[in-house]
Amino acid sequence: MKRTNEVFFKNHWKRVLIILPAFVILYLIGYIMDPFSEYARTFFHRDISEILTDFGITLIFCTIVCEISILISNWLDHKLPWIEHSRKRFVIETLLNFVAVLGILFIIFSIYSYYVPEAGMHSVLTDSKYIQETREIMQQFLITLMVTFLVMVINTGNSILLKWKNTAVRAAESDRIAMEAELQSLKLQLDPHFVFNNLSVLSELILRDQQLGYEYAEDFTKIYRYMLVNSKKNVIHLEEEIKFLNAYIFLLKQRVGEGLIFEIDIDRKQYLNSLPPLTLQLLVENAMKHNKTSKINPLHLRIYSNSEHSIVIENNFNPLETNTPSSGIGLENIARRYRLLGAVKPEIFQDDKIFKVTVPLIELK
């Protein structure tokens, strides 16, 4: 997926589509406001070098105005997003652009007055030439404000459209992934091998130890209840996920026996933080499907919290001789769910001895 904060103006060729219209509009508005000014009447009677110089200066000016307007807009996107603070954003962005334009014009006229002293502010107020220059300065200021406002409107409209588009894309992908997770949980519920294996274990336990068989049936029920209730949720408290995982682990250990060793060491302070539902179960299932679980060489699976506000699922690397087909949801699905939640994505580490996945915990505000 593309970054959600991508903006229209990060592509240089698209910047040109804003700067060139601003360049044309600046001249056009200037002519409409005063078509009989000396500047307008004599513009095309000057030397070609003077005209090109005028065009060059104006183009640089338009580029500076556009760039500053874009920088202000991009900065405010992080401080005052349009969706949450539309009125405040409009007022502040307009004021900042107004101040920026004043600063640009002040610098330009200061440089102009320095190199052309006779056009400076020391001229007599009654001097008609000074009055004409003052009027041209005011016209230039108004024209610049209009162009700046135009750039601001285009940039803002583009930003809002992109945010709307990205939100719609994220919502569609979120719905699709939620549906995948729900279908996967239903698939697990209806998987004849899963049901058959657990019912077979349950039958054996009832014949051997009725109390243990009762506990097995209770945990079997907890697993399905958890999936039915929580599969559609975006996040769930870690404490609830651990309760579900303990029930799931109990079933696995009764079925696999000494071929599976679990070690869970999670700081209880982390229990109120959250993560996408079924995350830990999917990672445990992933480890079970791709590694041997024998009494001689058991699968050692550790689940623990670290100092970086994350949960680590780590197992010794003991791959099967034949590849087991993936469930189709696995690691990629977990990564996408984290991405859609705007959280730091899980990290995967693997070498010849261990396979480790670090999933960040999400702190709900």
Side-chain angles (χ1 to χ4, degrees), residues 234-246:
N234 290 327
V235 293
I236 192 167
H237 282 137
L238 176 62
E239 184 175 11
E240 294 299 316
E241 182 82 353
I242 293 297
K243 288 179 181 178
F244 162 74
L245 185 63
N246 283 327

Side-chain angles (χ1 to χ4, degrees), residues 13 16 58 64 76 331:
W13 69 269
V16 174
T58 304
I64 294 172
L76 288 176
L331 298 174

Side-chain angles (χ1 to χ4, degrees), residues 258-260 292-300 316-318:
E258 297 180 12
L260 188 61
K292 298 176 182 178
T293 54
S294 63
K295 184 178 180 179
I296 299 175
N297 191 8
L299 176 65
H300 191 170
N316 57 315
F317 190 59
N318 188 20

Side-chain angles (χ1 to χ4, degrees), residues 27 38-47 51 54-55:
Y27 279 107
E38 182 179 356
Y39 177 82
R41 287 185 292 103
T42 62
F43 185 84
F44 291 105
H45 295 288
R46 295 182 291 173
D47 293 338
I51 296 175
D54 193 290
F55 282 163

Side-chain angles (χ1 to χ4, degrees), residues 30 55 101 109 127 148 181 204 216 258 261 287 302 321 355:
F55 282 163
V101 169
F109 289 126
D127 186 353
T148 304
E204 293 175 6
Y216 189 93
E258 297 180 12
I261 300 174
R302 297 179 59 221
E321 295 176 0
F355 181 85

Side-chain angles (χ1 to χ4, degrees), residues 98-210:
F98 179 81
V99 172
V101 169
L102 278 178
I104 294 170
L105 292 177
F106 176 77
I107 293 172
I108 290 174
F109 289 126
S110 295
I111 295 173
Y112 180 69
S113 298
Y114 178 80
Y115 286 102
V116 189
E118 62 273 14
M121 296 302 294
H122 63 275
S123 303
V124 182
L125 286 175
T126 56
D127 186 353
S128 60
K129 184 178 180 181
Y130 171 70
I131 295 173
Q132 176 66 23
E133 289 179 353
T134 302
R135 186 174 66 179
E136 290 178 358
I137 290 173
M138 293 304 299
Q139 288 177 354
Q140 188 67 31
F141 177 67
L142 291 174
I143 293 169
T144 305
L145 279 181
M146 292 179 187
V147 172
T148 304
F149 186 75
L150 174 67
V151 172
M152 187 184 79
V153 168
I154 295 174
N155 190 36
T156 298
N158 174 78
S159 178
I160 292 173
L161 284 174
L162 275 176
K163 283 181 173 58
W164 172 81
K165 177 183 175 182
N166 289 329
T167 301
V169 170
R170 285 198 304 270
E173 187 170 353
S174 180
D175 289 343
R176 181 172 61 82
I177 292 177
M179 186 177 295
E180 285 181 7
E182 184 180 3
L183 289 173
Q184 176 64 17
S185 72
L186 291 173
K187 177 183 175 183
L188 185 59
Q189 295 172 47
L190 299 174
D191 187 340
H193 296 289
F194 181 82
V195 175
F196 176 77
N197 289 336
N198 283 286
L199 289 178
S200 297
V201 173
L202 179 58
S203 299
E204 293 175 6
L205 289 176
I206 290 174
L207 293 174
R208 188 174 74 245
D209 186 336
Q210 289 187 359

Side-chain angles (χ1 to χ4, degrees), residues 82-102:
W82 276 105
I83 297 176
E84 292 87 354
H85 309 280
S86 54
R87 294 183 181 178
K88 189 175 181 181
R89 168 66 181 269
F90 177 78
V91 172
I92 292 178
E93 185 164 347
T94 302
L95 288 175
L96 288 177
N97 276 283
F98 179 81
V99 172
V101 169
L102 278 178

